[in-house]
């Protein structure tokens, strides 16, 4: 089998991996590049014949993972796109929004080109192309094995990154040999607001691991709430506005929930007016409301206590353009959460235009800013930026809180990898900037002993397992099977024993209930199997 890294190789955006087996071609994610060289990379990403692709397995709705699906379909893809139910719901709003942005950009360029008598440019795809793609989506549940062909099966697990996000387990059989590929997708971190913690996967032959924050350690939940309260309090005192560029999906809902908690816990000196100024974020919040079964226990308890993660008398959702424009007049006392998260498009650009030059206002970054984006330029300290063709001085306070990131940090990534009982032969490091991936690669090897590989953009690798193959005949005697089970038992029990001893040594509060339950389950399964075969022999 061959894997081609069409995106997210030595870069964060454009996640897309082409897997070619003897009989099938499938894509894991089909994402849009953002930031520097995005246009050229997006055009190149679908360099294959879209008609030849049989399936797409989509890890989550973020546009850097899903944003080229309408283009794929426009180019002739006829297959199915498998994703979880919330991912399908979220794509239902995000893909048309992305199509609309491409149309607007093309219109803007074409107005200019018309004036200089140049030929028109076509948008990458339109909102209509996005609507046309919906018929291809198939909803799948977490933890359910889906057989695509006799050779290919997969399972989604909760990745704890955004609502509906998945880790993908993919089994591919060729020549009687089975390979198991695991894609971490974007991996969340424990204790993220609203959603559950990332699931643990126990075995893989090859792991494709995201590396976004492979060199960073995040603030914990308490520090991050405290810092947010501090920034709100100080900005309100300075009589300015707090502008938060935020991804419409996930981050905005986390912020809302955290601010609502700060209000109910009386942590704000004066309560600001909070505006969610992004039609996409408003629609996304509606989808969050529809899937309470995906919430974690803390959020469910918050709701049981009569509170709401997304509503309070201080929160206003501004859907219309008029309501949004009124915010331009606002001088102080407002917290404006608006998209896009990297300031490349959307209403946030208006709020930056009206606040960047005011020393009393604050711009707070709560998410990753890719190289080449407006957000990154502001965060890197540029003194002037161009917004809507106008030079704007950056004089306001610039703050950044990466505790709101929906990605696991360095230690959390390593912890997750170390939970594999049957360790992968190799880890392909993806979804990270080059300098980060290089350093992270060393960290992974030093802390897990697993070999890593850093793929280039567009690189193809052969993935074939050399050891272990599925037994082909049924002639193996019961005794032989018991013997092999006993060997397996020995190996697995020694691994379990090792892990238990390691757990025994660490602080009690750090031992997760989930892992203990997992170990108990493993032991029960082994015991059961062994008993079955012993009985059969007798
Ligand atoms: Zn994501
Ligand atoms: Zn991503």
């Amino acid at each position: 089998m061959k894997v081609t890294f069409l995106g997210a190789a030595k870069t964060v955006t454009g996640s897309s991996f082409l897997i070619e087996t003897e009989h099938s071609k499938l894509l894991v994610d089909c994402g849009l590049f953002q930031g520097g060289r995005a246009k050229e990379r997006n055009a190149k990403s679908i360099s294959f014949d879209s008609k030849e692709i049989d399936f797409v397995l989509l890890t989550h709705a973020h546009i850097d993972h899903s944003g080229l699906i309408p283009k794929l379909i426009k180019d002739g893809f006829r297959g199915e796109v498998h994703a979880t139910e919330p991912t399908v719901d979220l794509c239902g709003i995000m893909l048309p929004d992305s199509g609309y942005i491409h149309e607007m950009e093309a219109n803007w360029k074409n107005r200019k080109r018309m004036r200089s008598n140049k030929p028109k440019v076509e948008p990458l795809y339109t909102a209509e192309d996005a609507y046309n793609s919906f018929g291809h989506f198939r909803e799948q549940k977490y933890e359910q094995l889906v057989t695509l062909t006799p050779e290919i099966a997969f399972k989604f697990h909760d990745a704890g990154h955004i609502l509906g996000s998945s880790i993908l387990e993919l089994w591919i059989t060729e020549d009687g040999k089975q390979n198991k590929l695991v894609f971490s997708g974007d991996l969340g971190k424990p204790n993220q607001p609203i959603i559950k913690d990332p699931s643990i996967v126990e075995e893989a032959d090859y792991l494709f691991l995201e590396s976004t924050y492979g060199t960073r350690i995040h603030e914990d939940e308490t520090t991050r709430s405290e810092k947010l309260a501090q920034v709100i309090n100080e900005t309100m005192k300075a009589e300015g506005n707090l502008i938060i560029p935020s991804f419409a999906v996930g981050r905005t809902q986390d912020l809302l929930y955290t601010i609502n908690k700060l209000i109910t816990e009386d942590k704000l000196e004066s309560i600001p007016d909070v505006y969610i100024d992004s039609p996409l974020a408003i629609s996304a919040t509606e989808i969050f409301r529809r899937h309470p079964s995906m919430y974690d226990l803390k959020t469910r308890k918050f709701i049981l206590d009569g509170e709401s993660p997304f509503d309070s008398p201080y929160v206003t959702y501004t859907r219309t353009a008029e309501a949004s424009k009124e915010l331009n007049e606002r001088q102080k006392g407002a917290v404006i959460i608006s998209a896009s998260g990297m300031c490349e498009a959307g209403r946030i650009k208006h709020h930056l235009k009206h606040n960047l030059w005011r020393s009393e206002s604050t711009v707070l970054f709560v998410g990753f800013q890719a190289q080449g984006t407006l957000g990154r330029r502001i965060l890197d300290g540029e003194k002037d930026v161009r917004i809507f063709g106008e030079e704007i001085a950056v004089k306001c306070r610039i703050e950044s809180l990466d505790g709101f990131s929906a990605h696991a940090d360095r230690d959390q990534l390593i912890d997750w990898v170390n939970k594999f009982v049957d360790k992968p032969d190799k880890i392909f490091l993806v979804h990270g900037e080059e300098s980060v991936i290089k350093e992270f690669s060393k960290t992974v090897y030093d802390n897990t002993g697993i070999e890593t590989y850093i793929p280039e953009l567009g690189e193809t690798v052969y993935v074939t397992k050399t050891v272990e193959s599925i037994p082909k005949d049924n002639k193996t005697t019961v005794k032989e099977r018991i013997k092999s089970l006993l060997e397996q038992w020995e190996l697995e029990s020694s691994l379990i024993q090792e892990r238990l001893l390691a757990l025994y040594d660490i602080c009690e509060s750090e031992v997760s209930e989930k892992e203990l339950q997992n170990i108990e389950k493993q032991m029960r399964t082994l015991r059961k199997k062994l008993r079955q075969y012993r009985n059969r022999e007798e």
Side-chain angles (χ1 to χ4, degrees):
M1 147 195 26
K2 288 193 290 184
V3 179
T4 304
F5 299 86
L6 299 169
K10 291 190 174 175
T11 181
V12 171
T13 63
S15 271
S16 187
F17 310 108
L18 172 66
I19 300 172
E20 295 170 85
T21 71
E22 215 182 330
H23 306 292
S24 313
K25 286 186 184 179
L26 62 131
L27 284 176
V28 173
D29 288 346
C30 186
L32 193 78
F33 285 96
Q34 290 156 312
R37 298 176 59 201
K39 199 174 157 253
E40 168 203 338
R41 284 173 166 177
N42 282 325
K44 254 197 209 158
S45 181
I46 301 190
S47 51
F48 45 82
D49 184 354
S50 298
K51 289 186 209 79
E52 288 182 2
I53 304 295
D54 301 296
F55 310 97
V56 178
L57 303 177
L58 177 61
T59 61
H60 66 291
H62 274 155
I63 224 70
D64 64 311
H65 296 255
S66 69
L68 279 181
I69 290 174
K71 166 99 167 88
L72 183 78
I73 289 163
K74 187 179 148 187
D75 289 357
F77 169 73
R78 294 283 166 267
E80 294 173 340
V81 179
H82 296 268
T84 63
E85 199 186 328
T87 300
V88 175
D89 283 356
L90 288 169
C91 282
I93 56 169
M94 293 175 79
L95 295 179
D97 181 79
S98 169
Y100 178 72
I101 292 171
H102 292 303
E103 280 179 64
M104 288 301 108
E105 277 171 3
N107 286 345
W108 184 77
K109 276 184 200 149
N110 286 337
R111 277 200 296 275
K112 264 178 134 179
R113 293 175 78 91
M114 239 161 67
R115 290 196 285 272
S116 56
N117 202 22
K118 281 186 186 148
K120 276 187 172 182
V121 290
E122 282 291 312
L124 194 62
Y125 57 87
T126 62
E128 199 186 330
D129 292 326
Y131 287 117
N132 290 340
S133 69
F134 294 169
H136 294 259
F137 280 86
R138 298 287 175 274
E139 287 172 1
Q140 302 296 351
K141 289 201 163 32
Y142 284 133
E143 311 295 330
Q144 213 165 64
L145 187 73
V146 183
T147 306
L148 288 175
T149 73
E151 292 88 24
I152 305 172
F154 76 90
K155 210 188 252 188
F156 286 134
H157 302 272
D158 198 335
H161 167 64
I162 60 163
L163 195 76
S165 64
S166 310
I167 298 163
L168 170 70
E169 271 186 304
L170 180 63
W171 290 268
I172 295 175
T173 309
E174 282 179 313
D175 296 330
K177 285 178 193 158
Q178 194 180 53
N179 277 294
K180 181 176 163 191
L181 276 51
V182 172
F183 292 83
S184 71
D186 284 3
L187 197 68
K189 54 179 191 193
N191 293 322
Q192 207 166 289
I194 308 167
I195 54 173
K196 292 175 187 161
D197 287 356
S199 309
I200 288 159
V201 179
E202 292 192 335
E203 50 184 43
D205 294 314
Y206 297 96
L207 171 64
F208 298 75
L209 179 67
E210 75 121 315
S211 323
T212 323
Y213 286 101
T215 53
R216 299 262 285 273
I217 300 294
H218 295 322
E219 294 129 345
D220 59 30
E221 200 188 345
T222 327
T223 321
R224 151 190 105 169
S225 307
E226 277 167 10
K227 280 196 179 165
L228 177 66
Q230 191 187 345
V231 175
I232 295 176
N233 286 336
E234 286 169 6
T235 310
M236 296 306 115
K237 216 177 201 171
E239 306 208 316
N241 295 320
L242 174 60
I243 310 298
I244 312 182
S246 170
F247 293 104
V249 178
R251 208 68 43 88
T252 297
Q253 293 74 26
D254 285 7
L255 277 164
L256 254 177
Y257 177 40
T258 311
I259 294 174
N260 279 343
K261 262 171 71 180
L262 288 174
I263 295 173
T264 52
E265 288 163 6
D266 225 3
K267 297 265 174 63
L268 298 181
E269 285 158 17
S270 69
I271 299 177
D273 297 322
V274 181
Y275 295 93
I276 304 301
D277 188 34
S278 152
L280 186 64
I282 298 171
S283 306
T285 310
E286 285 311 312
I287 293 172
F288 269 70
R289 286 181 214 272
R290 287 215 293 268
H291 294 282
S293 65
M294 302 270 166
Y295 301 169
D296 65 3
L297 285 177
K298 269 190 202 162
T299 313
R300 289 198 208 176
K301 183 159 184 306
F302 191 68
I303 296 171
L304 277 177
D305 289 344
E307 305 291 349
S308 163
F310 311 121
D311 300 296
S312 92
Y314 311 100
V315 177
T316 310
Y317 290 89
T318 51
R319 217 179 244 283
T320 66
E322 289 70 42
S324 170
K325 274 184 198 146
E326 277 169 28
L327 294 176
N328 296 342
E329 308 301 320
R330 196 66 202 247
Q331 297 297 306
K332 59 175 182 178
V335 172
I336 302 172
I337 303 171
S338 185
S340 72
M342 298 190 203
C343 313
E344 286 290 274
R347 293 179 180 176
I348 187 66
K349 288 171 86 175
H350 292 277
H351 301 304
L352 291 173
K353 185 180 155 185
H354 287 93
N355 287 279
L356 273 177
W357 55 274
R358 299 178 58 220
S359 60
E360 56 276 26
S361 286
T362 304
V363 173
L364 172 65
F365 290 99
V366 289
F368 186 82
Q369 304 297 312
Q371 265 167 0
T373 58
L374 174 61
R376 179 66 167 257
R377 292 204 295 279
I378 298 171
L379 189 62
D380 282 349
E382 282 195 16
K383 291 280 167 270
D384 300 283
V385 288
R386 273 192 101 72
I387 299 177
F388 301 122
E390 203 178 308
E391 201 78 30
I392 310 285
V394 182
K395 285 191 179 151
C396 70
R397 175 176 166 193
I398 308 292
E399 287 289 337
S400 150
L401 272 181
D402 61 37
F404 274 96
S405 163
H407 291 267
D409 67 12
R410 186 193 67 198
D411 292 357
Q412 290 158 344
L413 285 166
I414 296 292
D415 277 353
W416 186 77
V417 174
N418 273 329
K419 299 253 165 66
F420 277 82
V421 177
D422 193 352
K423 287 190 177 171
D425 293 352
K426 193 168 271 175
I427 301 180
F428 294 93
L429 294 174
V430 295
H431 202 289
E433 279 178 3
E434 190 172 353
S435 58
V436 173
I437 285 203
K438 276 190 179 155
E439 196 184 321
F440 183 51
S441 165
K442 204 179 163 305
T443 315
V444 171
Y445 185 75
D446 290 348
N447 289 280
T448 67
I450 304 168
E451 226 180 273
T452 59
Y453 189 86
I454 306 175
E456 297 288 334
L457 201 59
E459 185 180 349
T460 302
V461 294
Y462 283 92
V463 176
T464 3
K465 198 172 169 186
T466 45
V467 279
E468 226 184 285
S469 64
I470 299 169
K472 274 184 186 159
D473 51 32
N474 299 322
K475 284 179 199 149
T476 350
T477 63
V478 174
K479 275 201 172 162
E480 274 173 83
R481 288 173 75 176
I482 294 174
K483 200 176 149 225
S484 102
L485 272 170
L486 275 168
E487 279 165 8
Q488 218 176 307
W489 167 266
E490 235 161 74
L491 175 75
E492 294 201 24
S493 62
S494 69
L495 284 169
I496 294 172
Q497 211 176 345
E498 246 173 63
R499 187 64 196 147
L500 281 172
L501 285 171
L503 286 176
Y504 191 77
D505 287 338
I506 60 180
C507 171
E508 240 174 281
S509 63
E510 283 170 32
V511 179
S512 92
E513 177 61 29
K514 203 167 177 183
E515 183 173 4
L516 280 181
Q517 281 177 5
N518 255 329
I519 295 177
E520 280 166 0
K521 197 174 140 199
Q522 252 174 293
M523 290 177 66
R524 272 201 303 275
T525 318
L526 278 170
R527 219 177 294 138
K528 203 169 131 194
K529 271 191 195 165
L530 214 51
R531 215 179 297 135
Q532 273 173 5
Y533 288 113
R534 276 203 176 122
N535 288 343
R536 280 179 63 181
E537 196 199 22
E538 280 163 11

